[in-house]
Amino acid sequence: MILIIQLLVLILIILSIILVVGIPVTLASPGQWEKSKNLIYTSTAVWAGLIIITSIANSFIA
């Protein structure tokens, strides 16, 4: 169970880094917002879902 939480946290960290770099680059690039809007919204929803899943899984350990 601890291995699962560690993997969830690793995925969360990687996705967070991608979003921290990707969103400002997308917003600064002309015309990219319209092309990447759905991808950014989906990635943000996955990120929020990972937060919830990780916190629920962590509650079983403590």
Side-chain angles (χ1 to χ4, degrees), residues 4-6 8 10 12-13 26 28-29 31 41 43 52 58 62:
I4 294 171
I5 292 177
Q6 289 175 342
L8 286 171
L10 177 65
L12 184 63
I13 290 170
T26 302
S29 302
Y41 287 150
S43 300
I52 293 169
N58 192 31

Side-chain angles (χ1 to χ4, degrees), residues 5-28:
I5 292 177
Q6 289 175 342
L7 288 174
L8 286 171
V9 170
L10 177 65
I11 294 169
L12 184 63
I13 290 170
I14 291 171
L15 184 59
S16 296
I17 292 171
I18 291 171
L19 288 175
V20 162
V21 172
I23 290 175
V25 168
T26 302
L27 292 175

